[in-house]
């Protein structure tokens, strides 16, 4: 059996004195979609942002424990944070195209790292847009502003922007929460295809989405892991009463 | 009072206020332009003043104005924008940021003549730059610095926080994030600060007389003394040398400011349009 892509061991996370993640341990296998879900303030977003250390930007943030990416703790002092964030890409809840053209949005990450020649960059941008299922929509207007796209297209642009980094892990924080069902379906279809190449951690905006796309699910409550397992198993036969209550809609 | 009456009164008062402001502005502009524009001709633009300004044109004062303003803006903008980025991106709120901000605010409230006196003592006398474009420009730079800092800081603060998160999450360093994600979004606001600064430089008289002098010769280098258009206008009108030339200078000054504003806006729009 392959070693896990990400191995979270005994993670405690604090903002100043407030603890938002408690003794959290979870193995995330490569090339699968893991959905981490729970009610608001369960610590899901913090967990995701800790994986690529975006939490470094938050005042008062402090982590104890380890998050191993291919066996290497991301909190180690010798970790190059910008390189970590390239390997572990993030898609945010609100689609946020930078105030640049579609092309420049996708090229943003690659341009940060090196001066690629035009042809190579064109290819990276095209590949990323194709994989994010946006290419056909935008190929004739790559140099118009990203902000002019519809909400669903903007979110796919954000996914393309992450794909252009050629990452290993993609983190998505409620990527469809503001989108219509058709856009949501398109993004979910993309995710199913993308998991062949990437490890995907998704915070779904509702339980149904976890059921539709995830191979494994993890249920969090008040910063602790309540239950974790294969999606079918957890949904059909939850071991924990709270999980059962949550997925059947009795609370949350 | 019943709501629809108060609504009607409010509407009248607000419209009246707006119309009055526009009317006053138009009256001033039209008065100056009607009196001044007929004075403007090729000679007026290309000849240096003769006979203390009674005859000839005002070419040397146009050059003087542009050079003093250019020095001021080129010196103040990098320092001002740099300080604004330091205050917003590179440091947390602390005693030091409060001191810097308080200093900038205090500087903004000081009358320009005080800057003129400082410029005269420091640049003209102590650094021995004499009455020169450089002394004048540096003095103006100190004068407009607070404006540029405050407007730039405001502009940077209004850049949506998610832009920064996105840039960092794509592997950007702090510097890359500032240059590529924050600065382009803040640019229109920063430009407003710079344009305000240009306006103050072009309009300044007292501080310029103390630091750049009021020579009528065409400046030959940054160390030449110079007279700016505002100073020329002031002297023409104050000494009663030539009221016609004074109006001509004033009209040209207004046109110049208009051109600078429109030009700066075009430049910013061209830069920003790519992202809109």
């Amino acid at each position: 059996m392959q070693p896990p892509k990400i191995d979270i061991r005994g993670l405690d996370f604090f903002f100043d004195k407030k603890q938002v993640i408690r003794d959290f341990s979870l193995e995330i296998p490569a090339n699968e979609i893991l959905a981490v879900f729970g009610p608001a303030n369960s610590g899901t977003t913090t967990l995701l942002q800790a994986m690529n250390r975006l939490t470094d930007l938050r005042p008062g943030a402090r982590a104890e424990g380890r998050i191993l990416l291919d066996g290497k703790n991301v909190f180690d002092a010798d970790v190059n944070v910008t390189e970590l964030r390239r390997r572990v890409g993030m898609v945010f809840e609100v689609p946020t195209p930078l105030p640049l053209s579609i092309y420049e949005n996708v090229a943003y990450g690659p341009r940060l790292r090196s001066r690629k020649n035009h042809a190579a960059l064109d290819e990276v941008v095209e590949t990323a847009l194709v994989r994010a299922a946006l290419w056909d929509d935008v190929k004739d207007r790559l140099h118009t502003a990203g902000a002019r796209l519809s909400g669903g297209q903007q979110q796919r642009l954000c996914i393309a922007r992450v794909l252009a980094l050629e990452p290993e892990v993609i983190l998505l924080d409620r990527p469809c929460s503001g989108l219509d069902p058709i856009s949501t379906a398109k993004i979910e279809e993309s995710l199913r295809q993308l998991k062949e190449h990437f490890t995907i951690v998704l915070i779904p905006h509702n339980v149904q989405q976890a059921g539709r796309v995830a191979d494994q699910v993890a249920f969090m409550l008040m910063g602790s892991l309540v239950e974790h397992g294969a999606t079918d198993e957890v949904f059909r036969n939850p071991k924990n009463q709270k999980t059962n209550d949550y997925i059947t809609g009795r609370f949350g | 009072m019943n709501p629809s009456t108060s609504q009607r009164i409010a509407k009248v008062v607000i419209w009246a206020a707006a119309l009055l402001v526009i009317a006053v502005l138009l009256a001033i502009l039209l008065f100056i332009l009607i009196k001044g524009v007929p004075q403007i001709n090729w000679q007026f633009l290309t000849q240096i003043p003769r006979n203390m300004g009674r005859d000839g044109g005002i070419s040397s004062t146009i050059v003087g104005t542009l050079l003093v303003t250019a020095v001021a803006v080129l010196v103040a903008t990098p320092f001002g924008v740099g300080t604004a980025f330091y205050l917003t991106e590179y440091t947390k709120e602390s005693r030091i940021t409060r001191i810097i901000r308080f200093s900038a605010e205090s500087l903004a409230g000081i009358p320009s003549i005080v800057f003129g006196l400082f410029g005269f003592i420091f640049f003209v006398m102590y650094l021995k730059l004499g009455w020169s474009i450089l002394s004048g420009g540096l003095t103006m730079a100190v004068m407009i610095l607070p404006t540029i800092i405050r407007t730039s800081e405001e502009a940077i603060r209004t850049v949506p926080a998610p832009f920064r998160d996105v840039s960092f999450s794509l592997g950007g360093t702090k510097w890359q994030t500032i240059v590529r994600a924050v600065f382009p979004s803040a640019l229109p606001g920063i430009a407003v600060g710079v344009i305000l600064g240009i306006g103050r430089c072009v309009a300044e008289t007292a501080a310029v007389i103390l630091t750049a002098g009021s020579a009528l010769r065409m400046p030959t280098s940054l160390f030449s003394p110079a007279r700016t258009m505002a100073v020329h206008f002031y002297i023409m009108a104050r000494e009663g040398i030539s009221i016609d030339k004074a109006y001509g200078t004033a009209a040209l000054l207004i046109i110049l400011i208009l051109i600078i504003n429109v030009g700066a806006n075009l430049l910013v729009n061209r830069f920003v349009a790519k992202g809109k």
Side-chain angles (χ1 to χ4, degrees):
Chain A
M1 185 170 159
Q2 271 191 350
K5 183 71 188 173
I6 297 175
D7 188 356
I8 304 170
R9 293 196 191 164
L11 182 71
D12 290 296
F13 207 96
F14 304 84
F15 286 107
D16 294 316
K17 295 226 166 73
K18 189 168 174 267
Q19 185 164 6
V20 292
I21 294 177
R22 287 164 207 283
D23 193 24
F24 190 100
S25 295
L26 184 66
E27 293 186 0
I28 304 172
N31 302 103
E32 285 194 11
I33 300 178
L34 168 76
V36 182
F37 66 100
N41 294 318
S42 311
T44 49
T45 294
T46 304
L47 179 72
L48 230 59
Q49 298 200 350
M51 290 187 207
N52 72 353
R53 283 181 57 184
L54 213 57
T55 44
D56 288 9
L57 307 177
R58 314 285 175 243
R62 182 166 57 85
E64 285 170 15
R66 288 181 294 172
I67 297 178
L68 305 173
L69 174 66
D70 288 333
K72 169 79 178 162
N73 186 4
V74 302
F75 297 116
D76 279 353
D78 63 344
V79 167
N80 178 341
V81 181
T82 59
E83 175 61 13
L84 170 70
R85 290 181 187 147
R86 186 198 63 74
R87 291 174 65 195
V88 183
M90 166 94 65
V91 176
F92 296 88
E93 176 167 359
V94 180
T96 309
L98 293 168
L100 303 165
S101 69
I102 293 168
Y103 183 96
E104 286 300 327
N105 261 285
V106 181
Y108 191 90
R111 277 194 202 279
L112 293 175
R113 273 188 295 151
S114 60
R115 287 184 189 281
K116 283 205 166 67
N117 64 49
H118 276 286
L121 198 58
D122 287 352
E123 199 181 314
V124 169
V125 170
E126 181 174 343
T127 308
L129 285 167
V130 167
R131 279 181 159 176
L134 190 60
W135 176 250
D136 290 335
D137 295 14
V138 301
K139 63 184 173 200
D140 300 323
R141 46 175 174 147
L142 288 175
H143 297 284
T144 58
R148 283 210 192 144
L149 297 171
S150 74
Q153 289 172 328
Q154 285 188 16
Q155 196 59 296
R156 277 183 279 151
L157 176 64
C158 294
I159 293 174
R161 189 165 61 187
V162 167
L163 294 177
L165 299 170
E166 291 160 1
E168 297 159 32
V169 180
I170 302 174
L171 311 171
L172 302 105
D173 188 347
R174 300 180 188 87
C176 304
S177 67
L179 303 185
D180 62 278
I182 294 170
S183 301
T184 303
K186 280 185 185 164
I187 286 179
E188 288 175 2
E189 181 52 36
S190 306
L191 293 182
R192 280 187 209 101
Q193 290 174 7
L194 289 171
K195 74 174 181 183
E196 284 180 37
H197 307 279
F198 309 97
T199 304
I200 296 176
V201 184
L202 167 76
I203 302 178
H205 64 286
N206 58 28
V207 177
Q208 290 79 5
Q209 186 174 46
R212 285 194 299 268
V213 297
D215 300 296
Q216 294 196 29
V217 291
F219 177 53
M220 276 181 89
L221 201 58
M222 312 278 286
S224 300
L225 180 64
V226 176
E227 188 161 352
H228 165 235
T231 307
D232 288 347
E233 223 167 278
V234 174
F235 273 54
R236 214 172 292 152
N237 192 12
K239 293 189 188 68
N240 190 296
Q241 185 59 38
K242 284 179 191 150
T243 315
N244 188 36
D245 290 350
Y246 190 75
I247 59 183
T248 54
R250 263 192 276 270
F251 93 104
Chain B
M1 202 189 298
N2 88 43
S4 71
T5 315
S6 63
Q7 158 66 15
R8 223 169 287 146
I9 291 173
K11 198 171 172 182
V12 170
V13 170
I14 287 168
W15 269 90
L19 287 178
L20 189 71
V21 168
I22 294 169
V24 170
L25 191 69
L26 277 181
I28 296 173
L29 276 179
L30 284 177
F31 181 74
I32 303 278
L33 289 177
I34 287 168
K35 293 258 190 185
V37 169
Q39 301 294 323
I40 302 175
N41 53 37
W42 187 244
Q43 276 191 344
F44 190 71
L45 294 175
T46 54
Q47 292 187 358
I48 64 165
R50 277 179 284 116
N51 205 359
M52 293 308 287
R54 275 179 203 92
D55 304 310
I58 59 162
S59 64
S60 56
T61 71
I62 299 174
V63 173
T65 304
L66 294 178
L67 287 178
V68 168
T69 307
V71 169
V73 168
L74 290 180
V75 171
T77 304
F79 281 104
V81 175
T83 306
F85 270 110
Y86 173 78
L87 286 175
T88 48
E89 305 282 334
Y90 270 90
T91 178
K92 294 199 183 78
E93 282 300 308
S94 67
R95 183 179 287 265
I96 296 172
T97 61
R98 280 197 296 275
I99 290 173
I100 294 175
R101 206 168 285 124
F102 179 75
S103 312
E105 257 160 39
S106 309
L107 279 175
I110 292 177
S112 59
I113 185 72
V114 177
F115 286 103
L117 203 62
F118 163 77
F120 178 69
I121 293 166
F122 187 69
F123 296 120
V124 177
M125 308 294 285
Y126 182 73
L127 293 183
K128 298 193 171 62
L129 295 173
W131 281 321
S132 63
I133 288 170
L134 202 56
S135 297
L138 291 173
T139 307
M140 293 296 106
V142 179
M143 189 178 83
I144 65 173
L145 198 55
T147 313
I148 293 181
I149 293 175
R150 289 315 304 266
T151 41
S152 301
E153 200 190 338
E154 267 330 294
I156 296 165
R157 275 189 204 289
T158 53
V159 174
F163 286 1
R164 298 180 178 86
D165 280 1
V166 165
S167 177
F168 280 115
S169 78
L170 292 170
T173 60
K174 186 165 211 161
W175 177 240
Q176 288 174 324
T177 298
I178 287 175
V179 172
R180 299 178 190 220
V182 179
F183 181 72
S185 312
L187 185 65
I190 293 173
V192 168
V194 175
I195 290 172
L196 283 175
I198 290 175
R200 286 193 67 189
C201 290
V202 171
E204 184 54 44
T205 50
V208 177
I209 295 176
L210 277 173
T211 52
S214 58
L216 284 170
R217 287 189 306 276
M218 179 62 83
T220 50
S221 80
L222 291 182
F223 297 99
S224 306
R227 179 184 288 198
T228 65
M229 290 161 76
V231 171
H232 188 61
F233 169 78
Y234 169 74
I235 293 174
M236 289 299 101
R238 172 76 176 72
E239 315 271 328
I241 296 172
S242 168
I243 297 297
D244 289 342
K245 299 281 185 203
Y247 278 125
T249 311
L252 200 59
L253 200 57
I254 289 174
I255 294 168
L256 184 73
I257 290 175
L258 215 67
I259 291 173
I260 290 173
N261 279 3
V262 171
N265 269 324
L266 285 179
L267 216 67
V268 170
N269 283 342
R270 248 186 76 181
F271 190 87
V272 174
K274 286 189 285 178
K276 281 262 165 69

